[in-house]
């Protein structure tokens, strides 16, 4: 199935959590000068117009990144600065955000000379838009399944690696597929940092991902970060989760501080929980 289009959900609360974790991991890794191989397994089209018909149909950004932008001067954690800088460069002026970068754009904007970004996208229409953008952004695009493609690229020639895995999970087997891919990737590249996004659903389907990882025993050093809506819907997605495999030292405290900024009156209405799913 290739029916999922992220344009309907760009900038929602899950994107805020996901791209906060991505920006934090990348900036922390850049404390060392050695090059980083960056992989985005489910890249999408890279850029999203929040004024488009698709975005306005769901208006999910209104309760997500638009709120973050509105309260930007009230954010206590300084680790939001790279996120706000990227948003400001794409959205001059003081009004609501008009454009939102997808994951490959976050990689491209935050990477340094010497870092290499590779984006995978299987959806034909999304891949065409991604490839057109990538020519100027300096991003390598591969039109193939991102989970299989990632394994082909490991280990990378660069001394360090950061990977984002965030399928739509429109196919229920994606949860197990992600877990099995992580186990194989970990064997190929144990020094890499892996970020895995997943939805938290009323059905509880996402628990299959964590169950398979825990029972397999193939992956170590797995941090789990989850945000849940204070006023969840009766059906569908009630929260957003991230698994961070092999996070930089101190990442848990710094991401926790960022997520704390999203809780409280006038904010995103998110509660945050964090634990080590699998210790070192």
């Amino acid at each position: 199935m290739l029916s999922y289009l992220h344009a309907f959900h760009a900038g929602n609360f899950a994107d805020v959590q996901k791209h906060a974790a991505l920006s934090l991991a990348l900036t922390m890794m850049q404390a060392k000068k050695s090059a980083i191989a960056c992989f985005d397994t489910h890249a999408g089209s890279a850029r999203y117009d929040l004024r488009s018909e698709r975005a306005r149909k769901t208006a999910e950004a209104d309760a997500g990144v638009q709120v973050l932008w509105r309260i930007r001067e009230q954010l206590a954690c300084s680790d939001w600065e790279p996120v706000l800088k990227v948003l400001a460069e794409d959205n001059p002026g003081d009004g609501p955000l008009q454009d939102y970068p997808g994951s490959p754009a976050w990689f491209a904007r935050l990477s340094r000379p010497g870092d290499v970004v590779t984006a995978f996208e299987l959806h034909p229409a999304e891949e065409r838009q991604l490839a057109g953008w990538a020519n100027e952004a300096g991003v390598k695009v591969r039109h193939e399944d991102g989970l299989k493609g990632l394994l082909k690229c490991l280990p990378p020639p660069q001394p360090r690696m950061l990977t984002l895995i965030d399928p739509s999970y429109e196919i229920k087997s994606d949860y197990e597929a992600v877990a099995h891919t992580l186990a194989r990737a970990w064997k190929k590249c144990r020094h890499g940092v892996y970020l895995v996004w997943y939805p938290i659903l009323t059905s509880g389907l996402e628990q299959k991902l964590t169950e398979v990882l825990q029972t397999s025993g193939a992956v170590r050093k797995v941090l789990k970060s989850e945000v849940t809506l204070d006023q969840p819907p009766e059906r569908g997605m009630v929260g957003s989760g991230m698994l961070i495999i092999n996070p930089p030292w101190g990442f848990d405290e710094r991401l926790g501080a960022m997520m704390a900024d999203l809780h409280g009156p006038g904010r995103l209405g998110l509660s945050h929980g964090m634990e080590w799913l699998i210790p070192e």
Side-chain angles (χ1 to χ4, degrees):
M1 292 176 64
L2 290 173
S3 60
Y4 178 86
L5 293 173
H6 193 63
F8 290 102
H9 312 287
N12 65 4
F13 74 92
D15 268 359
V16 172
Q17 183 208 24
K18 180 197 310 180
H19 296 141
L22 173 59
S23 67
L24 178 61
L26 190 52
T27 53
M28 289 184 71
M29 292 175 69
Q30 288 171 345
K32 296 181 179 180
K33 294 182 179 180
S34 51
I36 304 170
C38 303
F39 296 100
D40 189 345
T41 63
H42 297 77
S45 60
R47 306 294 305 178
Y48 300 99
D49 183 353
L50 298 181
R51 302 162 298 176
S52 70
E53 181 180 353
R54 288 172 175 171
R56 297 314 305 160
K57 184 174 182 178
T58 59
E60 291 184 11
D62 291 358
V65 73
Q66 297 287 17
V67 178
L68 181 76
W69 185 245
R70 191 164 60 245
I71 64 169
R72 60 191 181 277
E73 295 182 358
Q74 305 169 35
L75 299 172
C77 182
S78 62
D79 283 316
W80 285 110
E81 290 178 6
V83 175
L84 298 176
K85 182 180 179 181
V86 170
L87 294 175
E89 289 173 350
D90 290 352
N91 297 271
D94 295 326
L97 298 174
Q98 298 182 4
D99 296 302
Y100 188 76
S103 299
W106 287 102
F107 270 120
R109 296 292 293 280
L110 296 170
S111 63
R112 310 159 300 177
D115 297 336
V116 177
V117 181
T118 302
F120 299 90
E121 181 52 53
L122 193 58
H123 193 291
E126 295 286 273
E127 189 274 336
R128 284 193 295 270
Q129 294 184 53
L130 176 66
W133 164 85
N135 289 333
E136 296 184 3
V139 172
K140 298 180 180 179
V141 175
R142 298 180 60 155
H143 186 200
E144 61 179 306
D145 178 274
L147 298 181
K148 295 177 181 178
L150 172 65
L151 294 174
K152 294 177 185 177
C153 295
L154 299 182
Q158 292 76 21
R160 292 183 300 147
M161 188 268 285
L162 174 63
T163 293
L164 174 65
I165 301 175
D166 64 332
S168 65
Y169 300 97
E170 61 178 335
I171 304 173
K172 293 180 181 179
S173 59
D174 281 350
Y175 296 100
E176 290 188 65
V178 167
H180 293 314
T181 298
L182 277 173
R184 294 178 63 187
W186 182 250
K187 291 180 180 179
K188 287 174 171 281
C189 190
R190 290 181 181 268
H191 65 275
V193 178
Y194 303 84
L195 306 179
V196 180
W197 175 83
Y198 58 93
I200 301 175
L201 307 170
T202 52
S203 64
L205 278 173
E206 77 283 352
Q207 295 176 16
K208 191 65 177 178
L209 169 60
T210 54
E211 288 172 1
V212 173
L213 275 180
Q214 288 177 302
T215 56
S216 70
V219 181
R220 312 302 301 170
K221 298 172 67 175
V222 182
L223 180 69
K224 183 175 74 171
S225 165
E226 293 188 341
V227 292
T228 53
L229 291 165
D230 293 339
Q231 296 182 340
E234 294 183 1
R235 297 179 59 186
M237 191 167 73
V238 298
S240 170
M242 295 290 298
L243 299 178
I244 305 94
I245 293 87
N246 196 29
W249 185 85
F251 180 90
D252 51 347
E253 293 183 1
R254 291 172 66 172
L255 182 62
M258 294 179 78
M259 295 299 100
D261 271 331
L262 307 182
H263 179 68
R267 307 213 166 192
L268 274 72
L270 298 173
S271 296
H272 179 240
M274 183 180 290
E275 65 175 327
W276 284 96
L277 182 70
I278 304 175
E280 186 173 357

